[in-house]
Amino acid sequence: MSENRLEQILLYLKNHSIATVEQLVKVTNSSPATVRRDLIKLGKEGTILRTHGGVSLNQFIPHQPTTHEKSHKQIAEKDRIAEYAASLVSPGNSIVLDAGTTTLMIAKKIAHMSLRVITTDLHIALLLSEYKQIDVIMTGGRIDHSSQSCIGAHGVTLLQNVNPDIAFVSCNSWDITRGVTAPTEEKAYLKNRLSINAQRKVLVADSSKYGKYSLFNVSSLTDFSDIISDNGLSDKQRNEISDHSFNLVLV
């Protein structure tokens, strides 16, 4: 019961800028004391912030989540996103795959094709290296332990000298105002270079990451030709991002 109640609270906060204890009591059909205990728990976890007049979601991401942490979240949504993303790829294409659990799912869905794949992700490179018809290029450089991917100047240089058909960029935070952001300057710059010369620039990001932000800017959402997310975005969020130059696909 407590997990369901926490989910109800988080869903309400996702769809509203701020909530009072009284509002959450009605939403969860619980007592004020129970709701306050839940809010204390969520506050200790860093999930919410106390604000004047109520509580709101803490949308700031200070650190890079680990691959293990991300692999257990939004699995169904990521699979749908990956399925649609894979449909954009044709045999013979050259593509860039950013590091991430969603892009790893894309890799699994295109492994039957004859492709040239450039990636920063160790898991993706090892997976696709099993398929003889795929030419795999790793960007190289220092290994980031949280994402288990390559970062640094070596990878940036390579990415600036390739001209892929499609670049699939993942993220932990995206927002119409701040764009795509990353917790470190080095990670942000590398992500910016991932799609620099691509004919088609595709952001793959599930709805749970929308409205969140980190310290360093990667790019504006309008830098992408396509954004693929899931139908978990609220009506307010959809309206914020639908009237722009990129092609928004919700699966």
Side-chain angles (χ1 to χ4, degrees):
M1 284 294 292
S2 63
E3 289 301 317
N4 290 337
R5 195 170 58 249
L6 291 175
E7 288 179 7
Q8 288 177 310
I9 290 172
L10 293 176
L11 181 61
Y12 188 86
L13 289 174
K14 180 181 177 182
N15 294 325
H16 299 77
S17 299
I18 194 170
T20 63
V21 171
E22 291 74 19
Q23 288 170 326
L24 295 175
V25 164
K26 293 179 181 178
V27 168
T28 60
N29 195 28
S30 305
S31 70
T34 298
V35 169
R36 288 192 181 94
R37 282 197 298 271
D38 289 339
L39 295 179
I40 290 172
K41 179 179 185 297
L42 292 170
K44 288 180 179 178
E45 293 173 351
T47 307
I48 63 169
L49 293 173
R50 297 274 181 175
T51 62
H52 181 68
V55 295
S56 64
L57 284 177
N58 182 6
Q59 304 288 35
F60 182 71
I61 302 175
H63 305 293
Q64 171 81 24
T66 66
T67 300
H68 178 72
E69 289 170 339
K70 293 187 294 182
S71 65
H72 301 293
K73 297 179 179 179
Q74 317 303 125
I75 297 172
E77 292 83 353
K78 290 175 182 177
D79 186 68
R80 295 198 303 272
I81 291 169
E83 188 72 35
Y84 186 89
S87 74
L88 304 180
V89 181
S90 300
N93 278 168
S94 57
I95 68 170
V96 172
L97 286 176
D98 193 4
T101 49
T102 305
T103 45
L104 178 59
M105 287 186 176
I106 296 173
K108 292 176 181 178
K109 293 178 185 295
I110 60 174
H112 63 285
M113 296 185 193
S114 175
L115 300 167
R116 177 168 287 179
V117 177
I118 302 151
T119 187
T120 60
D121 191 294
L122 297 178
H123 297 282
I124 292 174
L126 285 171
L127 169 74
L128 296 182
S129 67
E130 297 289 332
Y131 298 86
K132 292 183 179 180
Q133 79 280 10
I134 298 181
D135 183 14
V136 182
I137 301 171
M138 281 218 66
T139 57
R142 184 166 58 86
I143 301 300
D144 173 58
H145 294 288
S146 60
S147 63
Q148 295 173 320
S149 64
C150 300
I151 54 176
H154 187 83
V156 169
T157 300
L158 186 147
L159 290 165
Q160 291 178 156
N161 287 282
V162 295
N163 299 284
D165 296 302
I166 311 174
F168 293 103
V169 180
S170 63
C171 68
N172 297 309
S173 51
W174 62 296
D175 179 85
I176 192 60
T177 303
R178 298 180 179 89
V180 176
T181 53
T184 69
E185 186 175 13
E186 191 173 32
K187 193 77 172 177
Y189 187 59
L190 180 67
K191 279 185 173 292
N192 178 272
R193 300 291 94 180
L194 278 168
S195 61
I196 191 70
N197 295 326
Q199 291 185 32
R200 192 168 188 176
K201 302 172 173 64
V202 183
L203 177 67
V204 289
D206 69 73
S207 62
S208 71
K209 299 166 183 172
Y210 185 78
K212 297 181 179 179
Y213 67 99
S214 290
L215 186 58
F216 295 96
N217 179 257
V218 174
S219 60
S220 167
L221 295 189
T222 55
D223 290 336
F224 295 94
S225 53
D226 306 82
I227 296 177
I228 309 172
S229 188
D230 62 82
N231 53 24
L233 289 171
S234 67
D235 290 340
K236 177 184 176 183
Q237 292 168 336
R238 293 184 193 202
N239 291 334
E240 282 179 346
I241 58 179
S242 60
D243 189 24
H244 289 276
S245 58
F246 48 77
N247 176 40
L248 175 65
V249 177
L250 302 179
V251 293

